[in-house]
Amino acid sequence: MILALESSCDETAVALFDPACGLVGEWVNSQIQLHETYGGVVPDLASREHLQHFGPLLQRAFVVVPAARITKIAVTHGPGLAACLAMGLSAAKSLALSWGVPVVGVNHLRAHAFSPFIPLHESNPVHFDAALAKLLPHLGLLVSGGNTALFSIDENRRIRMLSSTLDDAAGEALDKGAKLMGLGYPGGPHVEKLARTGSPTAYDFPKAMAQRSSLDFSFSGLKTSLRYQLEKMQPEEIERKKPDLCASYQAAVIHALTRKTQLALERGGYRSVGLSGGVANNQVLQSELEKIARRASQPFLRAQAKHTGDNAGMIAFAAWAEREAGGVSETGYALLIEPSLPLALR
Ligand code: AMP
Ligand code: MG
């Protein structure tokens, strides 16, 4: 039984994972409302919240599974906000030391990368290894507030970076665009909601590096172009046109994501396509990527909604699924925080 702790940013989360049956329980305290007032995450406030919430969340977990059954502790050691990561590591190490069980550090991004496989394990825990083997090599798209990357997972479950963003992440582009339009934080869900009643072709925003053969992403030009467009408009016109603005802006972001994924797929050799990270919640993105995967006759796997944002379920799962693939840090009780840990090397 693995106990996982996650506190890389603004979610305090705890999960219990039993390799024989899957996730036994997941508990999370989100700080979105607290940070909404500031339009972004305030690290000092975030770490205080983690300090406050780990205890009660763990108490709830131990009602479901007695502490004595836990044989390993997994904790996010990076990337993330240093003060926030430190809270999770302190809690994890204290528990591990007092129970005499090992503690392992999990790379938050790699946990996102493996999150689309959680349902595969849940549906048939005993045959998971064989089922996963049929889906590798895998092409993954990770889209979150801080990262946008295409990566592959090979037959040995090793992750290799194919591309990343040269400037803003996709979620960041949506959040900054939303801010320019006076929408709430985080912006992605607000943009998606308004976009439902707007036209994706009303405004011709640049399709971020869509013409080039590189797999890398770039969203800063798109954001600037939105700013110029808004500067040309009167406040009441912006208000009236918000659904069109959102739909067109979102379409440009999604076009870049799907176009690069398709390019990567065309290079060949993959047996499945995956989608993970906070932006994976976007239903337009989901259906566009699913279409691309279907056209290439590839199974499409996406992280479940509860595993798209920050959560401990994916941390526990990655600690187990990555066992020998080199993605888990086993430095023991001297484990350190790694605020800038990359997903993988190119
Ligand atoms: P993460 O960084 O993985 O915690 O995810 C947060 C990011 O996901 C933020 O940039 C959000 O705006 C974005 N996001 C969340 N839900 C959606 C959605 N439905 N559509 C687009 N972006 C979203
Ligand atoms: Mg995350």
Side-chain angles (χ1 to χ4, degrees):
M1 182 74 72
I2 300 176
L3 168 69
L5 278 72
E6 152 69 38
S7 65
S8 61
C9 190
D10 59 349
E11 253 100 37
T12 317
V14 168
L16 287 162
F17 177 78
D18 179 351
C21 60
L23 284 159
V24 178
E26 296 177 75
W27 298 267
V28 55
N29 176 73
S30 170
Q31 308 172 9
I32 282 196
Q33 275 180 330
L34 170 72
H35 301 291
E36 209 169 13
T37 343
Y38 304 92
V41 178
V42 184
D44 276 358
L45 295 182
S47 61
R48 277 172 60 108
E49 289 283 301
H50 292 311
L51 186 58
Q52 184 182 356
H53 290 283
F54 263 129
L57 290 180
L58 286 163
Q59 277 182 314
R60 285 166 61 193
F62 299 153
V63 171
V64 176
V65 172
R69 280 190 53 207
I70 293 159
T71 52
K72 187 186 254 189
I73 299 183
V75 60
T76 306
H77 70 135
L81 298 167
C84 295
L85 291 166
M87 289 297 163
L89 253 74
S90 312
K93 284 200 240 182
S94 308
L95 291 174
L97 278 162
S98 71
W99 296 338
V101 299
V103 57
V104 297
V106 175
N107 180 329
H108 180 95
L109 297 175
R110 300 175 73 96
H112 272 304
F114 277 92
S115 65
F117 300 117
I118 297 177
L120 183 73
H121 173 269
E122 234 154 35
S123 68
N124 197 342
V126 180
H127 297 113
F128 173 74
D129 286 340
L132 179 62
K134 286 189 190 141
L135 298 172
L136 303 179
H138 169 82
L139 173 67
L141 174 66
L142 166 60
V143 268
S144 69
N147 290 273
T148 298
L150 278 166
F151 60 88
S152 62
I153 305 181
D154 72 12
E155 290 90 339
N156 299 313
R157 301 188 192 177
R158 282 188 218 281
I159 300 183
R160 197 168 66 87
M161 289 292 283
L162 301 173
S163 73
S164 56
T165 175
L166 303 176
D167 39 61
D168 293 347
E172 199 177 354
L174 290 166
D175 293 344
K176 287 179 177 172
K179 201 169 181 175
L180 288 173
M181 291 185 274
L183 305 176
Y185 170 88
H190 292 281
V191 172
E192 178 171 32
K193 195 165 168 227
L194 279 167
R196 280 192 202 122
T197 55
S199 159
T201 53
Y203 296 92
D204 190 21
F205 292 122
K207 304 279 187 292
M209 293 175 65
Q211 314 315 329
R212 307 218 208 128
S213 60
S214 155
L215 294 181
D216 284 327
F217 301 93
S218 168
F219 294 105
S220 65
L222 173 63
K223 182 191 63 197
T224 309
S225 142
L226 172 66
R227 186 153 52 77
Y228 287 154
Q229 178 59 47
L230 294 172
E231 279 168 9
K232 285 191 282 189
M233 299 166 77
Q234 295 299 319
E236 69 78 28
E237 190 189 3
I238 294 179
E239 207 45 50
R240 194 160 34 84
K241 296 282 190 185
K242 256 182 199 171
D244 283 346
L245 286 162
C246 285
S248 303
Y249 190 74
Q250 176 179 276
V253 172
I254 291 176
H255 179 89
L257 296 173
T258 50
R259 176 83 194 108
K260 300 297 180 186
T261 307
Q262 189 171 2
L263 261 179
L265 257 186
E266 282 164 8
R267 295 185 186 181
Y270 299 106
R271 296 169 82 191
S272 62
V273 181
L275 175 64
S276 60
V279 185
N281 266 314
N282 189 286
Q283 288 177 12
V284 184
L285 175 62
Q286 289 171 12
S287 68
E288 290 300 311
L289 263 196
E290 187 162 17
K291 270 187 231 159
I292 284 176
R294 202 184 310 129
R295 254 185 258 135
S297 308
Q298 305 267 334
F300 176 64
L301 297 93
R302 72 175 160 85
Q304 293 163 283
K306 63 175 177 171
H307 297 137
T308 54
D310 295 337
N311 66 93
M314 69 175 187
I315 302 300
F317 181 73
W320 176 77
E322 279 215 275
R323 282 157 301 179
E324 275 116 42
V328 174
S329 179
E330 310 242 11
T331 43
Y333 301 142
L335 186 68
L336 277 174
I337 55 165
E338 304 283 353
S340 320
L341 196 64
L343 169 60
L345 299 175
R346 282 207 187 195

